[in-house]
Amino acid sequence: KAFNKSKIKDVNLTSVEKKYLKEKQEITMCIDPNWMPFEKFDDRGNHIGITADYYKIFSKTLGIDFNILKTKTWDESLQNAINRKCDILSLAMETPSRKKYFNFTSEYLKIPIVLATKLDVPFIDNIEAIKNKKVGITKGELKITGKLDKIWALGIAVRNDDINLLNILEKVIKSIDTKKEQEILNT
């Protein structure tokens, strides 16, 4: 399956953007291969997780396939995107160093940052309470002991030499309605 003009939903694409998609045929994407519940490759190499559900909608809306480049690590995905082997990173936070290579769409996922600790630690409601403590990111189910006033705002990182693609993906993100969003997050 390649570009299918008849499948484009009404996201107000310009004639230039429609022509761009027709000529492009597919969008190459790199993902984080191990970042659940957001995304990963399953045992058969399929893209699964919350972002996979979003990209099914994006693909249907634009009538174009997202071709996923298989990688083993996030660093490998990032390098492939920097080297233009991927047009986009499926889900990424804007950082100053990434701005050298990518433009970013509006966020389509907002993730609250929470603190998880051993079961015997009391609730923490202020970042000052842990300022002299070691903090890390870990795997395994711990107790949520605090919610910080910070969120990760995650959007699509788009190679910064392709403004048409950035504009198209921005429009497709804006076209997702709240009801659809809630369906994705609840599954």
Side-chain angles (χ1 to χ4, degrees), residues 170-183:
E170 181 65 28
K171 286 177 182 180
V172 87
I173 284 172
K174 296 286 190 214
S175 77
I176 301 260
D177 63 29
T178 316
K179 186 169 167 280
K180 194 55 147 172
E181 214 163 20
Q182 214 45 58
E183 275 173 35

Side-chain angles (χ1 to χ4, degrees), residues 18-80:
K18 286 176 186 170
K19 183 174 184 284
Y20 168 92
L21 286 176
K22 186 178 182 186
E23 287 169 4
K24 187 136 181 77
Q25 296 289 317
E26 65 180 20
I27 296 164
T28 306
M29 174 166 79
C30 283
I31 73 161
D32 188 324
N34 194 20
W35 192 24
M36 286 306 273
F38 308 114
E39 62 185 2
K40 77 170 193 175
F41 290 119
D42 68 10
D43 297 339
R44 283 171 284 164
N46 297 314
H47 182 210
I48 61 167
I50 295 169
T51 59
D53 294 337
Y54 272 99
Y55 279 90
K56 282 181 192 128
I57 295 167
F58 297 164
S59 179
K60 216 181 229 176
T61 304
L62 294 174
I64 197 167
D65 285 339
F66 289 86
N67 176 30
I68 303 170
L69 195 67
K70 295 267 175 17
T71 56
K72 289 189 169 57
T73 65
W74 170 245
D75 281 343
E76 192 187 336
S77 290
L78 198 52
Q79 279 312 308
N80 278 324

